[in-house]
């Protein structure tokens, strides 16, 4: 009975071939947890630049839409494409993926002892329509010592993560004092909101 209920809940997605456009193992793991069948696609060297006037959640929303444009040529009538982008925002400044370990350490020094906001923009795209939404989560970091920061960056090499940290890793265990909002959003996909948006879509 429970399986039938779940099947009915998600049956509106049954006629779509769902594509997750992402290199992120976290996003793939999270989407798999919804229990829907999907495939992953990834194009190299997608331009993730954005207009300088954008702020906060406007940035990942813009980039997730821009990513969707890059994949449109490989979509058919049956395709439902999911693109996403995540940034860390502190004091009016964007913290994306660090370019090297030195920049990763500097990012974590600035996040240390402060509350930052994680924004994820998600775009759902078919040939007929497109829907973009943004979710915000506030994350409060404890004061991190230079030794803790150096240990984390050396051991976990978080160069593929916005703000140079993965909340599900060691730094999250020892550094995150509190989270206001979706935990999964900090990992890279706001699952509860995504589920609701897929149902409506």
């Amino acid at each position: 009975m429970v399986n039938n209920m779940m099947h009915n809940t998600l049956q509106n997605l049954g006629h779509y071939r769902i594509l997750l456009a992402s290199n992120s193992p976290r996003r793939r793991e999270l989407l798999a947890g919804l229990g829907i069948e999907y495939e992953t696609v990834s194009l190299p060297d997608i331009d993730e630049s954005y207009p300088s006037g954008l702020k906060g959640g406007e940035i990942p929303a813009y980039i997730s839409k821009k990513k969707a444009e890059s994949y449109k040529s490989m979509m058919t009538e049956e395709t439902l494409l999911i693109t996403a982008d995540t940034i860390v925002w502190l004091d009016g400044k964007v913290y994306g993926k660090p370019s090297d370990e030195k920049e990763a350490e500097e990012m974590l020094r600035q996040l240390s002892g402060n509350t930052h906001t994680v924004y994820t923009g998600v775009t759902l795209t078919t040939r007929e329509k497109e829907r973009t939404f943004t979710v915000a989560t506030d994350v409060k970091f404890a004061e991190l010592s230079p030794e803790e920061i150096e240990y984390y960056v050396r051991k976990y090499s978080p160069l593929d993560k916005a703000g140079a940290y993965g909340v599900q890793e060691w730094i999250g265990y020892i550094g995150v004092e509190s989270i206001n909002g979706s935990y999964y959003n900090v990992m890279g996909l706001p699952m509860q909101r995504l589920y609701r948006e897929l149902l409506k879509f």
Side-chain angles (χ1 to χ4, degrees):
M1 180 66 182
V2 173
N3 283 343
N4 286 341
M5 285 168 58
M6 193 59 191
H7 174 72
N8 290 338
T9 304
L10 294 172
Q11 68 181 353
N12 63 323
L13 300 176
H15 61 286
Y16 285 121
R17 176 180 173 234
I18 299 174
L19 296 181
L20 173 66
S22 179
N23 271 324
S24 165
R26 276 92 46 201
R27 288 198 182 118
R28 295 177 183 188
E29 178 190 333
L30 289 171
L31 190 58
L34 272 189
I36 57 177
E37 289 189 16
Y38 72 94
E39 301 165 45
T40 55
V41 289
S42 181
L43 292 173
D45 305 322
I46 288 183
D47 177 19
E48 296 189 9
S49 61
Y50 56 89
S52 59
L54 297 184
K55 290 185 168 48
E58 298 168 348
I59 295 166
Y62 179 91
I63 295 173
S64 74
K65 280 196 237 186
K66 196 172 181 181
K67 286 179 179 177
E69 285 294 322
S70 302
Y71 288 90
K72 283 206 171 152
S73 62
M74 63 174 65
M75 293 175 65
T76 67
E77 297 295 330
E78 288 77 40
T79 305
L80 169 55
L81 179 72
I82 302 173
T83 51
D85 189 73
T86 301
I87 64 157
V88 166
W89 182 260
L90 174 66
D91 295 335
K93 183 180 172 187
V94 179
Y95 293 76
K97 296 171 186 172
S99 57
D100 54 30
E101 289 189 347
K102 185 180 177 189
E103 187 180 12
E105 289 183 15
E106 179 56 33
M107 283 185 179
L108 289 170
R109 275 196 292 273
Q110 292 184 35
L111 298 182
S112 171
N114 288 310
T115 299
H116 63 268
T117 304
V118 177
Y119 290 103
T120 300
V122 181
T123 298
L124 306 177
T125 309
T126 65
R127 281 279 185 87
E128 287 76 42
K129 57 182 174 175
E130 183 177 274
R131 165 97 177 103
T132 298
F133 59 92
T134 307
V135 174
T137 304
D138 292 327
V139 181
K140 183 182 181 186
F141 258 107
E143 293 281 352
L144 301 168
S145 71
E147 293 77 21
E148 288 165 343
I149 290 172
E150 185 177 350
Y151 169 79
Y152 173 68
V153 171
R154 295 285 180 276
K155 184 168 175 62
Y156 291 89
S157 191
L159 304 186
D160 64 333
K161 298 175 178 71
Y165 79 93
V167 68
Q168 73 280 7
E169 294 177 340
W170 182 83
I171 198 79
Y173 302 160
I174 67 112
V176 174
E177 281 189 9
S178 64
I179 293 178
N180 183 13
S182 165
Y183 171 83
Y184 298 109
N185 186 49
V186 185
M187 281 181 70
L189 263 187
M191 295 311 297
Q192 189 274 339
R193 178 71 183 276
L194 175 60
Y195 174 70
R196 295 293 164 198
E197 295 289 345
L198 285 170
L199 290 182
K200 286 192 287 185
F201 206 78

